[in-house]
Each structure stands twice: as C-alpha cells, then as structure tokens.
Amino acid sequence: MHEHRPRTPEAERSRRWFMNKALLAGGVAAMATMTGCSSDSSDTASSAASSSAAGGMPSGGPGGGGGGGMGPGASQIKYADVKGVTTDGTVVEDLYSIHSTDVSTDALVKAAQTFLDGLSTTERKSCVFDIDADEWTAWSNVDGYDRKGVRMGDLTEKQRNLGYALLGKALSADGLTQTRGIMKLNAFLGDSNGGNQKTLTEGHYFFTFMGTPSTTKPWGFQYEGHHVAINYFVLGDQVVMTPTFMGSEPTTGTYKGEKITLFRPETKAGLAMIRSLTTAQRAKAVSSQSNGNEDMKAGAGQDNLKLAYEGLPCSGLTSAQQQKLLDLVGVYVGYINEGHAEVKMAEVKKHLDDTYFYWMGETEDDSAFYYRVHSPVVLIEYDAQAPLFYKGDSSATPSASSGSNAGGPGGGMGMGGTPSQEHIHTIIRTPNGGDYGIDLLKLHLEQDH
C-alpha cells in the first residue's frame, strides 16, 4: 500500500510552490534545488525552507506555512521513529497506561465499520493501512499535499453522510461543527480566489484507516485536508485524538447563505487567561519577543519536536486562574466526544502544577497573538498569522497578492502581510509518546505478547 505513485497535478503544483519558495530564500542551496544539481535535492529544499522560515517567510505550503504546514513529504517522520514531543529529547515514562475509561466506543466502531462497508472494494483498499503504518505521520496542512485515502468529494452523497456520521461519533457537536466550518470556509476561500481549484473545496478531505475497527483491538483513522488534520486512535474504550490541527483563512465568511465564524472560543479563552494574570505573572508569561507571522512549533512533521517549557509555571495560580486555564484547555479537548473529553481533562488536571502558559503579542480583543499551554500530557498552540490568499471581510474579496507568480492558489505567499485573527492555526498534541496512541499501542503489544 506504500508503492510509488505518479505525482498528481495537485502535488506538482505544491511542489512548484515549494521550489519557488526555496528560490526566493536565495543562496546556492536554493539554486541547487531548482536545477537538480544537489546530490539530495529533498534535503536541500528542506534546508532552504528552514532558512526562509527563519527570515519570516512561509515554510509550509499554500495556505499552510510553517505554522502547521509540511512541504511535500519533506519533513515526515516514519512511524517507527516517532518518540513524541519532549522538552529535551528524553521521554517522560509512565504517563500513560491501558485501563478502562467506562466510556463506550461501540457506537464509534459501528459507525467506522458502516462507513467502510459502504465503500467499493477499490475505495476500501485505497484507504486501509496497518495499525503502525507511516500514513499516521503523513498528514499536512498544505492544500495541495498529495494525500492517500478516499476523498470526500469523490464519494456519493450516501457515502459522505456515512463519513460525517463517523465524525459525529468521534467528535463532539462542537468538534463536528468546527470541522465542517473549516471545510466550508476552505471552499469559500477557493471561491474568493476565482474557483476552479480542486484543493480549495469542501470535497478535498480524505479518510484513511489504520487497522480494523474493533472494540478490543487497536485501530484508528485520520481525517485530513487543508486546515484540518484529525488523528484518532482507539484501543478498547480508550481514545487519543492527537495530533489534531485546525485552522482557517479566513475565519469568518458567508458560504451558501450560512454565516460562519471560527476560533472565537479559542481566542476568547486565551484572552481571558492572560487577562486573569497579575502584573508579576504577566512578566513571566509574556515573551519580550513580538509575535511574528508564523510562530507555531508543533505543526506537521514535528512529531519528535524538542520544546522546552517557557513562560509562567502554573503551580502558583489561584483557583480562579486555574479554572481559566482549564477552560482554555477544555476548548481544544472539547472537540472530542464528551465522555472522552472528560477523561482527557482529568489527565490534564493531574499535571496542572507542571503546566506552563506562554504568550506573544498584544492582548486587545482584536489583537493578533500567539499562546501555548504545555505540560507533560498536553501541548496546545494558537497562532494568528498573516493572510496568504485572502484580504477583506465576508464579501470574499481576493487577496491583494493574488495573481502573482509565487505559486499556489491565487499566488499569495503572505509576504509583507500583517497577522490578524482572519488567519488562525491551532494544534493540540499529547507529548512524551502519546500522539497517535503510540505509547498505548506499545503497551498493548507488550501485554499481548
């Protein structure tokens, strides 16, 4: 299932964007990437991309950037090599265990099996992988990334509805609304840039499955496309829904008569937390560095990220401030179905004294800012970014940079733009081997053998 496949038009367009970006980064390495003179052009391109990111240029891809995007396979870590996000490269042991949560996954398993049963033999073969497949880590925020699996836009209405039914069992009502809103605003973005772009539609989102849906054996699924990547691992009645990336550009718009506004809870909860701090606490929490265009650290391709704790240690928070922090975490955790959200929040509370809160930027209602919540068992990032393709309000005015030859839909590369709440990226991860349920799978295999 991992055989080489011809490069699709979408992948080729993403590749051209990536190469254009490398060229703009300048230097011999970028030229070698473009001309093919390097002995390892993918490494050179990746290196050039890193240099461009350091200079404030996008480092991911169309609509994505380094704040969550991953160039065409350039940064993927193989599943077997994933150790997880750590503070210093050393995994904290004994954080996770196999146990009963008393939250049934029966309906989830049934919904997944029903969706798979509704596919043709060819469709099913294209989207089912082994439980430890590299497909887990192959997700990206880039709109034109060459994805595997079954594409929602290629399915019948009945099949799509079964897919949404599966998401409805896996996610909370808010989580499903958020996911569907991201998809709709992706189409809105495509329309605002002239349409006729397959990747900027409601349909360009893909399901893949790892393992076979079961109430006893490990399995999972991935739902992924531009500005959303949900990784969902299941073992018995335990669930891990990380890493989950969600973003949008724009965050407000009217699509087919529906007014959509995204990321207000994440924005308001972040502001409520920072505003609850004393002057002395703010001095520790707020970075002296201004927020830039792309500050997210734990996006796609960062499965082995080393990220030291920064900001305010939360061990000294008052009970009211602790509740503000938990409310903030609860927004992100709350996109999983309610029962498993409670299980995760209990895990977060156990490590509250080891949690850090970090902030970059201003704190007005309409400010563009970055924040991070980081503990041994949860990592959350919120990043307001500059526009790439979109400029204006819900009237769908194309970006001022549209039409340039920089590549990607509309040609926008976000250079020179000012970060705003109209382009937001977020991610939640489970550090120390928790992502993709890897630690639980290892424990299961050890106990099962």
Side-chain angles (χ1 to χ4, degrees):
M1 290 186 178
H2 298 278
E3 72 278 7
H4 174 72
R5 301 194 306 173
R7 192 177 282 127
T8 65
E10 290 84 2
E12 181 61 32
R13 178 166 59 76
S14 185
R15 178 177 178 273
R16 288 198 303 269
W17 184 95
F18 188 75
M19 294 304 184
N20 283 334
K21 177 191 64 184
L23 180 59
L24 287 169
V28 174
M31 287 306 298
T33 301
M34 292 295 293
T35 60
C37 295
S38 170
S39 60
D40 191 339
S41 59
S42 63
D43 285 349
T44 307
S46 179
S47 179
S50 299
S51 298
S52 74
M57 289 177 60
S59 59
M70 181 169 65
S75 302
Q76 183 189 354
I77 295 172
K78 299 296 184 181
Y79 181 90
D81 297 328
V82 174
K83 69 184 327 183
V85 175
T86 62
T87 58
D88 59 4
T90 302
V91 175
V92 179
E93 302 290 347
D94 301 324
L95 289 172
Y96 313 112
S97 65
I98 295 177
H99 61 274
S100 175
T101 65
D102 294 324
V103 181
S104 175
T105 57
D106 290 356
L108 173 66
V109 171
K110 182 178 180 181
Q113 193 60 59
T114 301
F115 174 74
L116 286 170
D117 288 344
L119 301 178
S120 69
T121 301
T122 300
E123 289 168 337
R124 183 164 180 155
K125 184 177 180 181
S126 74
C127 71
V128 177
F129 299 81
D130 293 337
I131 185 61
D132 58 353
D134 291 337
E135 184 61 24
W136 274 121
T137 62
W139 62 273
S140 169
N141 180 51
V142 177
D143 69 324
Y145 190 72
D146 188 15
R147 296 175 169 89
K148 296 182 180 179
V150 287
R151 179 179 179 272
M152 290 290 270
D154 295 333
L155 299 179
T156 66
E157 182 178 3
K158 181 178 180 180
Q159 289 173 321
R160 282 196 299 274
N161 287 338
L162 291 176
Y164 291 135
L166 168 55
L167 290 176
K169 296 301 182 183
L171 308 177
S172 65
D174 287 343
L176 182 59
T177 298
Q178 175 95 331
T179 302
R180 292 291 287 116
I182 292 170
M183 295 169 64
K184 292 172 183 177
L185 287 186
N186 186 53
F188 173 87
L189 177 62
D191 292 345
S192 75
N193 280 270
N196 299 316
Q197 298 162 43
K198 184 178 180 181
T199 63
L200 299 184
T201 61
E202 276 192 82
H204 204 67
Y205 292 84
F206 296 72
F207 269 112
T208 53
F209 291 80
M210 274 53 82
T212 302
S214 168
T215 56
T216 57
K217 296 181 180 180
W219 68 282
F221 73 88
Q222 187 179 79
Y223 186 71
E224 188 217 353
H226 187 211
H227 275 144
V228 63
I230 298 170
N231 290 283
Y232 207 103
F233 173 85
V234 185
L235 176 59
D237 62 8
Q238 288 181 269
V239 165
V240 177
M241 197 176 89
T242 62
T244 288
F245 178 101
M246 291 186 175
S248 189
E249 182 195 12
T251 56
T252 57
T254 300
Y255 177 68
K256 294 184 177 180
E258 179 185 358
K259 180 62 181 294
I260 302 169
T261 301
L262 301 177
F263 297 102
R264 294 309 301 157
E266 291 88 343
T267 301
K268 290 180 178 179
L271 287 170
M273 178 59 197
I274 191 68
R275 290 171 179 173
S276 74
L277 303 181
T278 66
T279 301
Q281 289 171 326
R282 280 203 189 198
K284 294 181 180 180
V286 180
S287 172
S288 59
Q289 176 184 349
S290 299
N291 65 302
N293 180 29
E294 297 179 0
D295 296 301
M296 181 176 281
K297 305 296 186 184
Q302 297 298 321
D303 293 313
N304 286 348
L305 175 70
K306 296 178 185 178
L307 183 65
Y309 293 130
E310 292 183 274
L312 174 70
C314 295
S315 54
L317 295 180
T318 66
S319 58
Q321 290 172 328
Q322 287 182 348
Q323 189 57 54
K324 295 290 185 185
L325 179 66
L326 291 173
D327 290 343
L328 172 56
V329 174
V331 172
Y332 295 83
V333 173
Y335 288 139
I336 198 171
N337 65 64
E338 288 79 0
H340 287 107
E342 292 180 10
V343 172
K344 181 62 181 180
M345 288 304 296
E347 185 178 76
V348 171
K349 290 175 184 177
K350 285 175 58 178
H351 297 272
L352 203 57
D353 284 349
D354 300 317
T355 303
Y356 287 73
F357 181 68
Y358 179 69
W359 185 280
M360 286 195 293
E362 302 298 324
T363 59
E364 301 302 319
D365 286 351
D366 60 351
S367 296
F369 48 79
Y370 165 95
Y371 66 72
R372 182 192 311 155
V373 178
H374 191 183
S375 87
V377 296
V378 71
L379 171 61
I380 290 169
E381 291 185 279
Y382 168 109
D383 189 14
Q385 302 194 343
L388 284 176
F389 310 134
Y390 183 79
K391 183 178 181 181
D393 52 26
S394 58
S395 61
T397 303
S399 169
S401 60
S402 295
S404 75
N405 61 0
M413 287 192 67
M415 292 181 291
T418 301
S420 78
Q421 291 181 18
E422 278 299 321
H423 189 187
I424 291 174
H425 287 182
T426 68
I427 196 164
I428 178 170
R429 282 184 176 270
T430 307
N432 295 297
D435 278 341
Y436 312 106
I438 284 179
D439 196 66
L440 291 182
L441 180 59
K442 288 179 179 178
L443 290 172
H444 169 77
L445 293 176
E446 289 172 2
Q447 295 178 12
D448 198 42
H449 293 83

